């Protein structure tokens, strides 16, 4: 404990350089994510024990090709490097570079170096050098760059201690020189004037402030005013940025000429061969759909056992608490509000984790970029981008992380359309609703001798979800007049075997983020719903008295009386009143006020539908043997017709309603955060609501 | 007039100086600079986007962008 003050280290690098894998090696399980993440999107931090007993706090900044940002993620990098007075401002920067792409990686390095913060260059995947025919003169490179260079292989855990040593050295002898002086070669007078604005910032920092319109708090008002004048001449700024880029590359070329050699004859063209297969005009699509089928199949096959297990455990827990605690509001809150609320989140963990597992593997191997390449033109017809494929696939687990995953789409219009249509894809919360309704109304028969009618209906609902997403994207593409300079560039990384450690960390991180991000909302709404169902206006309190009075002369058992009371209570509770008040509106769709309650409570999460109906019918049912929800629902009778409540028409109408309606507060909240306005989530809520209403009405009319 | 879009698969061209103004900064930063070699590696099944290798970077860009970047063929 001799040094209480840890060294703050920031990791910076291009995407696909193994930066996150170095971060995992340095910090292990100490890492924490500040916010809801996508792929390395938010600020991740962890602590690292150095060799001399000091500690370092490592921050993994989002991958970027340049510190001139073009997306939300990339601007995090710039902001954290410009704000010198911030408490998280790094003492040392480690730039992670890929040895195979050293030239482009050094471009980012040269920018960061000019900020004059102590810096280390870690060249990753050095174990591949021999195989790729690369030779590197590290000593000369160190001299030319005036920076300590460390060769590492983060996947194979090579050179990690060297990085730690370099961090220690760097903390002691901080040596900061700009690498490419940007001034005189571009325009001497202009940059001289810029330099005079502030003595507290380096010339390059000032230049970044005006090119990026990013003015940190460390500037005085007057300095800021002067800098703003420089931003007036937009075309000059743009021209000088281009010149700066060329200037940097020229300098890097000079350095690499003396230090870096590639023997092309040794490089094997595995990438080219794999690309020919994966982007083939027929096999490319066949493989992609094969991969999709495999993912969906696995999500269902692998998750059913753990989901049943979780379901049972929460039911047991509720029962256990009921027995242990005394009667009262607190017990009801815990057993009927909090435990089912948490259970409703936890039950999705298996499906979501499996989906994230596949997405992580596809991204790690580099295959996802080929899908983007393959699908871009097709998706563009519908106003989206090749990069929209990932959110649309992720949406089949949960729309919340899917909306977050749209951040990689650079064109605003393409991103917005993707966000707006993603909730149409069949998320796992719809599945329990579909499952119970299908088993109720679709006969368990086979057609064409082999296909199950129920299975076919479920598959059709998935296809319907994608189809309506694509159709609405097309309509939005034609309707939306959003100004957006869409510019598409996707790096095609080399193929790699996935690293188990990276995949596991990625799945853990995203699943955790889902549980704590979406979980909070679902839990909160579950508690609100519980309150609304167990409280009501004045008449609610008199229910018990009235019922007891009315049944005095009837010969009923105490159980039957309790059931009647519970049923009347529900009817008179706030939520019962809400259900009744929307009954006229939903009657054309074939629903009564009880289904109305289920629709309202579905806003917490769609699968609450099943639980709510179970509660409603369980308090009403007077037959002890009617144990399962399905049997209770089947026994429910429509008092007006005397027929079954859940006949084919009502069942189909409900299926369509759940396929189209925006019944998810969590998604609405995340869309608001990502689009920075209530306008778009409201548009989703209303637009999808109208569509659901109309489509269900038509469905009901056709089938009844 | 030759552009990246007129290359055939496997063909190499050199990005001409006059393209500097039309190449977006981000693409320049990724190594797509005037004076460097650009090779067309793959074309997506619907003829768009294009998969190129420029300055050691493997990138996919859309045809509309590729059509604006002039090149000289050797």
């Amino acid at each position: 404990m001799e040094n209480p003050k840890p060294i703050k280290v920031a990791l910076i690098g291009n995407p696909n350089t193994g930066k996150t894998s170095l971060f995992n090696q340095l910090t292990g399980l100490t890492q924490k994510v500040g916010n809801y993440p996508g792929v390395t999107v938010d600020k991740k931090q962890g602590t690292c024990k150095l060799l001399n007993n000091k500690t370092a706090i490592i921050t993994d900044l989002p991958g970027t090709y340049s510190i001139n940002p073009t997306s939300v993620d990339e601007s995090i990098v710039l902001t954290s490097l410009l704000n010198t007075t911030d408490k998280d401002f790094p003492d040392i920067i480690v730039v992670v570079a890929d040895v195979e792409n050293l030239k482009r990686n050094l471009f980012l390095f040269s920018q960061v170096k000019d900020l004059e913060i102590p810096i280390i260059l870690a060249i990753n995947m050095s174990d591949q050098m021999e195989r790729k025919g690369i030779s590197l003169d590290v000593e000369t490179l160190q001299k030319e760059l005036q920076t300590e260079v460390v060769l590492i292989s983060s996947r194979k855990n090579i050179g990690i201690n060297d990085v730690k040593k370099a961090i220690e050295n760097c903390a002691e002898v901080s040596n900061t020189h700009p690498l490419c002086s940007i001034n005189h070669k571009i325009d001497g007078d202009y940059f001289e004037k810029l330099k005079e604005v502030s003595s507290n910032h380096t010339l390059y920092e000032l230049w970044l402030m005006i090119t990026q319109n990013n003015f940190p708090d460390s500037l005085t008002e007057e300095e800021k005013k002067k800098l703003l004048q420089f931003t007036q001449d937009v075309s000059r700024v743009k021209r000088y940025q281009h010149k700066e880029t060329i200037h940097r590359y020229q300098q890097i070329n000079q350095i690499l000429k003396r230090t870096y050699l590639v023997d092309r004859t040794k490089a094997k063209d595995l990438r080219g061969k794999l690309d020919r297969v994966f982007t083939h005009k027929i096999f490319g699509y066949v493989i992609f759909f094969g991969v999709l089928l495999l993912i969906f199949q696995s999500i269902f096959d692998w998750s059913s056992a753990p989901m049943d297990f979780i379901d049972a455990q929460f039911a047991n827990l509720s029962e256990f608490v009921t027995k242990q605690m005394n009667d009262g509001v607190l017990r009801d809150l815990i057993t009927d509000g909090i435990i089912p609320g948490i259970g409703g989140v936890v039950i999705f963990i298996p499906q979501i984790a499996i989906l994230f597992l596949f997405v992580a593997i596809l991204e790690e191997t580099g295959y996802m970029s080929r899908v983007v390449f393959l699908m871009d033109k097709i998706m563009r017809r519908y106003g989206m981008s090749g990069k929209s494929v990932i959110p649309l696939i992720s949406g089949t687990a949960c729309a919340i992380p899917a909306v977050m995953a749209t951040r990689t789409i650079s064109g605003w219009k393409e991103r917005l359309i993707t966000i707006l249509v993603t909730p149409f894809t069949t998320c796992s919360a719809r599945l329990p609703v579909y499952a119970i309704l299908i088993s109720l109304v679709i006969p368990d028969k086979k057609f064409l001798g082999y296909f199950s009618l129920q299975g076919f209906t479920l598959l059709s609902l998935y296809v319907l979800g994608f189809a309506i997403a694509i159709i609405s994207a097309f309509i939005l593409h034609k309707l939306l007049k959003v100004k957006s300079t869409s510019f598409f560039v996707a790096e095609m990384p080399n193929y790699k075997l996935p690293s188990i450690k990276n995949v596991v960390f990625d799945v853990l991180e995203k699943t955790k983020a889902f549980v704590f991000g979406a979980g909070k909302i679902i839990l909160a709404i579950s508690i609100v719903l519980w309150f609304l169902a167990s409280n009501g206006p004045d008449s609610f309190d008199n229910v018990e008295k009235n019922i007891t009075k009315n049944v005095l002369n009837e010969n009923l058992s105490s159980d039957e009386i309790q059931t009647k009371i519970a049923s009347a209570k529900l009817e008179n509770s706030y939520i019962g009143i809400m259900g009744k008040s929307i009954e006229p509106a939903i009657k054309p769709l074939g629903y009564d006020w009880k289904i109305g309650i289920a629709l309202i409570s579905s806003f917490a999460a769609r699968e609450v539908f099943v639980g709510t109906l179970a509660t409603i019918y369980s308090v009403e049912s007077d037959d002890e043997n009617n144990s399962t929800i399905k049997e209770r629902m089947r026994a429910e009778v429509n008092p007006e017709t005397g027929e079954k409540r859940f006949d084919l028409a009502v069942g189909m109408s409900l299926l369509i309603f759940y396929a189209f309606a925006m019944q998810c507060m969590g998604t609405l909240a995340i869309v608001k955060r990502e689009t920075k306005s209530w306008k778009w989530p409201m548009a989703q809520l209303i637009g999808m609501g109208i569509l659901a209403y109309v489509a269900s009405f038509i469905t009901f009319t056709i089938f009844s | 007039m030759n552009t990246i879009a007129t290359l055939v698969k496997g063909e190499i061209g050199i990005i001409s100086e006059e393209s500097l103004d039309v190449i977006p900064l981000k693409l320049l930063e990724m190594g797509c600079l005037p004076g460097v070699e650009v090779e067309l590696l793959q074309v997506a099944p619907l003829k768009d986007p294009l998969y190129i290798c420029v300055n050691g970077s493997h990138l996919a860009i859309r045809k509309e962008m590729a059509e604006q970047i002039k090149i000289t063929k050797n």
Side-chain angles (χ1 to χ4, degrees):
Chain A
M1 294 291 128
E2 52 181 61
N3 193 341
K5 218 173 153 202
I7 308 166
K8 287 172 286 181
V9 180
L11 296 186
I12 296 181
N14 286 2
N16 308 308
T17 49
K19 182 173 60 68
T20 302
S21 126
L22 173 64
F23 177 73
N24 290 342
Q25 296 285 9
L26 286 173
T27 61
L29 286 166
T30 68
Q31 50 183 275
K32 288 195 186 76
V33 183
N35 235 324
Y36 211 124
V39 182
T40 335
V41 157
D42 283 46
K43 219 168 173 180
K44 293 200 295 182
Q45 283 190 323
T47 52
C48 167
K49 267 249 157 324
L50 297 178
L51 305 173
N52 58 2
N53 273 331
K54 285 184 191 169
T55 49
I57 294 181
I58 319 264
T59 306
D60 186 20
L61 291 171
T64 181
Y65 297 103
S66 147
I67 53 182
N68 298 324
T70 43
S71 74
V72 198
D73 312 343
E74 290 173 4
S75 64
I76 297 172
V77 179
L78 181 71
T79 310
S80 32
L81 294 183
L82 277 189
N83 209 341
T84 46
T85 51
D86 190 79
K87 69 168 173 48
D88 276 341
F89 187 77
D91 301 317
I92 295 170
I93 293 172
V94 178
V95 174
V96 185
D98 172 1
V99 73
E100 223 189 320
N101 255 323
L102 199 55
K103 196 190 282 177
R104 197 188 63 210
N105 285 275
L106 283 182
F107 175 78
L108 176 66
F109 170 84
S110 83
Q111 290 181 317
V112 180
K113 177 80 181 164
D114 286 1
L115 292 170
E116 299 178 38
I117 303 167
I119 193 170
I120 297 162
L121 176 64
I123 299 182
N124 201 0
M125 303 181 215
S126 55
D127 58 313
Q128 306 273 323
M129 277 165 58
E130 202 176 332
R131 210 167 54 88
K132 310 249 175 192
I134 299 169
S135 51
L136 186 65
D137 180 353
V138 178
E139 223 163 286
T140 316
L141 190 65
Q142 295 203 100
K143 267 189 213 134
E144 296 276 353
L145 300 176
Q146 299 172 324
T147 302
E148 179 159 6
V149 176
V150 190
L151 289 183
I152 62 167
S153 172
S154 56
R155 279 159 172 261
K156 297 201 171 150
N157 209 354
I158 298 169
I160 306 300
N161 279 340
D162 296 339
V163 175
K164 292 183 184 175
K165 249 181 252 163
I167 292 173
E168 285 166 19
N169 288 342
C170 194
E172 278 158 25
V173 278
S174 53
N175 152 359
T176 58
H177 296 289
L179 184 69
C180 307
S181 353
I182 47 165
N183 44 16
H184 52 270
K185 285 215 176 152
I186 301 169
D187 181 339
D189 292 347
Y190 181 87
F191 285 100
E192 202 52 50
K193 253 193 249 160
L194 179 61
K195 198 174 180 173
E196 281 163 15
V197 172
S198 166
S199 52
N200 291 332
H201 291 91
T202 65
L203 174 62
Y204 187 58
E205 279 170 357
L206 295 170
W207 171 236
L208 280 174
M209 289 173 200
I210 61 170
T211 54
Q212 305 308 323
N213 263 313
N214 190 324
F215 303 103
D217 303 332
S218 49
L219 286 171
T220 65
E221 276 307 307
E222 202 184 318
E223 288 168 346
K224 199 172 159 184
K225 212 183 277 168
K226 280 188 194 160
L227 286 177
L228 278 170
Q229 275 171 357
F230 278 90
T231 60
Q232 299 299 317
D233 193 348
V234 181
S235 71
R236 180 190 283 213
V237 169
K238 189 183 161 217
R239 204 165 62 240
Y240 287 176
Q241 273 187 300
H242 282 214
K243 280 193 174 173
E244 179 204 335
T245 307
I246 291 179
H247 175 58
R248 283 185 193 281
Y249 266 106
Q250 278 168 349
Q251 201 156 348
I252 292 162
N253 275 335
Q254 291 296 324
I255 295 171
L256 287 181
K257 225 179 249 170
R258 290 190 285 270
T259 53
Y260 186 83
L261 207 78
V262 188
D263 182 357
R264 298 255 172 235
T265 56
K266 282 200 183 168
K268 288 179 210 136
D269 194 28
L270 182 63
R271 174 208 284 261
K273 280 180 195 149
L274 288 174
D275 276 337
R276 271 196 287 284
V277 178
F278 287 132
T279 64
H280 188 271
K281 59 185 171 196
I282 297 160
F283 300 129
Y285 293 106
V286 170
I287 292 170
F288 177 49
F289 286 110
V291 168
L292 281 186
L293 273 181
L294 177 74
I295 293 176
F296 291 138
Q297 188 66 27
S298 316
I299 287 177
F300 290 122
D301 281 0
W302 300 352
S303 66
S304 63
M307 283 175 92
D308 290 346
F309 175 77
I310 292 168
D311 203 17
Q313 290 313 307
F314 274 90
N316 289 344
L317 185 65
S318 260
E319 205 173 305
F320 175 76
V321 175
T322 313
K323 279 183 192 146
Q324 294 297 313
M325 285 180 69
N326 293 327
D327 230 8
V329 179
L330 185 64
R331 189 186 78 176
D332 288 351
L333 172 65
I334 293 173
T335 57
D336 297 340
I338 295 176
I339 292 177
I342 296 174
V345 179
V346 175
I347 193 134
F348 290 119
I349 292 178
Q351 285 193 338
I352 286 180
I354 293 167
L355 183 92
F356 285 152
L357 176 75
F358 277 103
V359 173
I361 291 173
L362 294 185
E363 280 183 349
E364 272 270 305
T365 51
Y367 178 68
M368 209 54 126
S369 304
R370 273 69 190 181
V371 173
V372 169
F373 179 65
L374 211 55
M375 298 298 291
D376 184 62
K377 180 81 195 201
I378 300 172
M379 300 302 281
R380 228 182 312 160
R381 276 185 206 156
Y382 305 102
M384 295 187 278
S385 142
K387 294 177 183 175
S388 306
V389 173
I390 302 160
L392 288 177
I393 296 173
S394 306
T396 55
C398 176
I400 294 168
V403 169
M404 316 272 317
T406 61
R407 286 184 184 176
T408 53
I409 303 169
S410 54
W412 170 239
K413 188 178 173 183
E414 292 174 345
R415 183 168 169 224
L416 182 65
I417 291 178
T418 312
I419 289 176
L420 291 177
V421 305
T422 292
F424 278 120
T425 54
T426 304
C427 67
S428 50
R430 284 183 175 102
L431 205 59
V433 182
Y434 288 175
I436 197 147
L437 288 172
I438 286 175
S439 66
L440 267 178
V441 301
I442 306 289
D444 189 9
K445 278 187 196 148
K446 300 232 184 284
F447 69 101
L448 301 176
Y450 179 74
F451 298 102
S452 139
L453 202 54
Q454 295 190 338
F456 178 78
T457 312
L458 186 64
L459 182 69
S460 311
L461 285 163
Y462 268 90
V463 173
L464 181 72
F466 277 117
I468 203 75
I470 295 288
I471 294 167
S472 18
F474 186 73
I475 296 168
L476 286 167
H477 179 43
K478 296 287 168 211
L479 284 181
L480 280 180
K481 296 277 174 278
V482 180
K483 237 176 89 184
S484 149
T485 45
S486 155
F487 161 61
F488 175 92
V489 57
E491 196 194 352
M492 308 291 271
N494 210 342
Y495 294 98
K496 277 190 253 133
L497 281 173
S499 130
I500 295 170
K501 195 166 181 175
N502 286 355
V503 170
V504 169
F505 272 91
D506 196 47
V507 171
L508 275 179
E509 180 197 314
K510 287 184 184 169
T511 311
K512 233 161 77 184
F514 166 78
V515 172
F516 293 110
K520 264 187 286 187
I521 300 164
I522 298 179
L523 179 62
I525 294 171
S526 303
I527 293 172
V528 169
L529 287 173
W530 165 80
F531 175 83
L532 291 176
S534 51
N535 289 279
D538 295 343
S539 58
F540 182 79
D541 298 324
N542 301 328
V543 163
E544 198 162 346
K545 247 185 278 163
N546 292 342
I547 298 267
T548 340
K549 221 191 298 167
N550 288 347
V551 296
L552 267 181
N553 44 0
E554 290 177 47
N555 194 12
L556 289 173
S557 73
S558 69
D559 268 5
E560 283 168 324
I561 296 173
Q562 283 307 317
T563 309
K564 272 200 178 280
I565 293 173
S567 168
K569 268 190 168 173
L570 185 71
E571 212 176 328
N572 285 291
S573 69
Y574 289 118
I575 204 161
I577 295 166
M578 284 162 82
K580 288 218 156 167
S581 62
I582 66 163
E583 192 173 25
I586 55 176
K587 208 155 187 203
L589 313 183
Y591 315 152
D592 61 5
W593 65 272
K594 289 176 209 161
I595 299 176
I597 292 177
L599 290 186
I600 294 170
S601 56
S602 289
F603 273 97
R606 293 179 175 92
E607 84 285 1
V608 171
F609 173 82
V610 181
T612 310
L613 285 183
T615 317
I616 298 172
Y617 295 139
S618 76
V619 296
E620 285 201 326
S621 109
D622 40 44
D623 185 351
E624 293 279 313
N625 297 326
N626 269 356
S627 50
T628 70
I629 303 169
K630 206 164 99 185
E631 281 161 17
R632 283 183 201 134
M633 285 171 76
R634 187 165 281 153
E636 179 74 4
V637 169
N638 183 347
E640 282 169 34
T641 58
E643 304 271 318
K644 277 184 187 167
R645 162 59 67 202
F646 290 95
D647 57 8
L648 184 66
V650 171
M652 290 303 284
S653 161
L654 269 172
L655 284 174
I656 296 297
F657 192 88
Y658 272 80
F660 292 169
M662 178 67 177
Q663 298 161 289
C664 181
M665 293 277 194
T667 306
L668 289 172
I670 219 76
V671 170
K672 192 260 159 182
R673 218 182 75 185
E674 294 294 313
T675 61
K676 296 192 182 64
S677 130
W678 278 111
K679 182 174 149 196
W680 298 114
M682 284 304 122
Q684 269 179 319
L685 181 67
I686 296 166
M688 292 173 72
I690 293 172
L691 178 65
Y693 190 89
V694 173
S696 304
F697 176 70
I698 295 170
T699 313
F700 182 67
T701 319
I702 292 173
F703 282 95
S704 53
Chain B
M1 185 191 67
N2 286 320
T3 66
I4 292 182
T6 61
L7 286 170
V8 294
K9 215 156 101 177
E11 201 180 8
I12 295 175
I14 291 170
I15 300 177
S16 51
E17 294 295 330
E18 55 188 303
S19 297
L20 180 59
D21 294 330
V22 297
I23 304 175
L25 184 62
K26 175 144 187 182
L27 208 50
L28 284 176
E29 290 177 333
M30 291 173 97
C32 188
L33 303 163
V36 304
E37 282 188 353
V38 52
E39 181 183 355
L40 184 69
L41 295 178
Q42 288 282 335
V43 180
L46 297 163
K47 308 264 177 264
D48 187 12
L50 307 176
Y51 178 177
I52 59 170
C53 176
V54 55
N55 226 341
S57 283
H58 294 77
L59 308 172
I61 59 171
R62 286 183 181 162
K63 208 173 173 183
E64 56 187 18
M65 182 82 254
E67 281 166 347
Q68 290 179 39
I69 304 176
K70 293 189 187 119
I71 53 156
T72 51
K73 291 186 188 177
N74 334 10

